[in-house]
Amino acid sequence: MGTGLVARRARRLRPRCSYDAPASVQPEPTGENVQFSRVLLAEQGVDVSSVLLVSKPYEERRAYATARKFWPEVEIISASTPMSFGEYVESIGDARLVVDMLVGAQQRLLVYPQEGFMISMDVPADVTAAYERLCAAGFTSRLIREAVDRSTG
């Protein structure tokens, strides 16, 4: 199926797969991608028992939690290219940006379950403490501002 056909189908399906998201926090497209794929495969008569998600290394947990929310009956496997933190920084070329992205991804793991965009996942206390330290140190360019304002307001 060509990408043009998928895009046209996705636009046609959008009303059936809407998030009803609060105006202040808009999800990333992972949830819609899962929902659209699920509908398209069902329309084609494809019986799905497992799904392989391929994402950026720091997005595996969010992708898994999102897919689990919108397609709970299938086995979800989340994967990325295996690489160390240093290798990932080298591939991006900007260490500060990478840390900002990690902080933003962690915030989404905390905020998106409350918005209905993904399942809740346990976050170890040391991870939450590191997230808070990094936020305090200014690694905030990838945070959802409305969520920050609600938590500090």
Side-chain angles (χ1 to χ4, degrees), residues 25-121:
V25 178
Q26 292 298 313
E28 297 186 27
T30 305
E32 285 186 349
N33 290 342
V34 170
Q35 292 178 70
F36 294 154
S37 297
R38 183 179 182 177
V39 170
L40 288 172
L41 290 166
E43 284 180 351
Q44 296 297 314
V46 177
D47 183 33
V48 178
S49 61
S50 65
V51 173
L52 172 63
L53 305 171
V54 179
S55 63
K56 299 170 188 163
Y58 67 92
E59 292 289 1
E60 281 188 44
R61 288 176 58 97
R62 185 184 59 78
Y64 173 87
T66 302
R68 176 63 54 224
K69 169 76 178 183
F70 294 108
W71 209 343
E73 66 275 12
V74 300
E75 176 186 9
I76 306 288
I77 300 167
S78 191
S80 63
T81 301
M83 62 177 58
S84 69
F85 177 76
E87 291 169 329
Y88 193 72
V89 167
E90 187 177 320
S91 76
I92 299 296
D94 184 341
R96 179 164 190 99
L97 175 61
V98 171
V99 176
D100 277 332
M101 291 186 303
L102 292 170
V103 170
Q106 182 58 43
Q107 182 200 39
R108 284 157 179 77
L109 287 174
L110 300 170
V111 172
Y112 279 4
Q114 299 164 13
E115 302 293 339
F117 302 146
M118 65 176 55
I119 64 166
S120 182
M121 298 185 77

